[in-house]
Amino acid sequence: MHLKILVPTDVFADETGVSAIVAETGEGSFGLLEHRLDCVAALAPGILTYTTERGPVYLAVDEGMLVKTGADVLVSVRRAIGGTDLGQLHDEIKRRFLTLDREERTVREMVAKMESGFVERLAEFQQHGQ
């Protein structure tokens, strides 16, 4: 298979001769072999593993999408980190990706509070102006 992994600013990996891919979704892990039917999957943060003639390659990936069309597999994720030690990759996922998700949630909550406060003040202003 031909595997291409994209992050927002770059092509993270472009591999040919990939014999197997294992990825994680919200429903659990699943594997791809070359003759599997075409598919699309929403990826969850986790470990993506692919096997080449050099052996297995492990990547920590953030949420994203996987699209298999024929022998081509395209993975698009927000962030990816390569490594050889699964324990270190697992720790890196927790440290970087899950912490960022919490921070993003906090920022979204703060923006929502600011927006609701703005709408309340605008309503008060309109009431006093009439």
Side-chain angles (χ1 to χ4, degrees), residues 61-74:
V61 297
D62 199 356
E63 60 189 12
M65 295 297 293
L66 178 146
V67 178
K68 181 185 183 301
T69 308
D72 294 322
V73 179
L74 179 65

Side-chain angles (χ1 to χ4, degrees), residues 23-40:
E24 294 191 34
T25 69
E27 308 299 316
S29 296
F30 75 99
L32 291 173
L33 299 173
E34 186 172 353
H35 299 293
R36 180 182 170 130
L37 293 176
D38 294 350
C39 65
V40 175

Side-chain angles (χ1 to χ4, degrees), residues 33-112:
L33 299 173
E34 186 172 353
H35 299 293
R36 180 182 170 130
L37 293 176
D38 294 350
C39 65
V40 175
L43 299 179
I47 303 294
L48 183 136
T49 306
Y50 63 91
T51 305
T52 67
E53 56 195 31
R54 297 182 312 274
V57 177
Y58 305 102
L59 301 175
V61 297
D62 199 356
E63 60 189 12
M65 295 297 293
L66 178 146
V67 178
K68 181 185 183 301
T69 308
D72 294 322
V73 179
L74 179 65
V75 174
S76 179
V77 292
R78 292 191 304 167
R79 295 174 290 262
I81 302 167
T84 55
D85 182 74
L86 286 175
Q88 287 178 344
L89 281 176
H90 188 266
D91 292 342
E92 191 67 19
I93 289 170
K94 285 183 179 177
R95 190 178 71 76
R96 282 194 192 182
F97 298 165
L98 300 179
T99 300
L100 284 172
D101 288 342
R102 273 189 243 115
E103 290 172 358
E104 289 171 358
R105 264 195 310 274
T106 301
V107 168
R108 281 194 298 270
E109 290 171 3
M110 290 173 56
V111 168

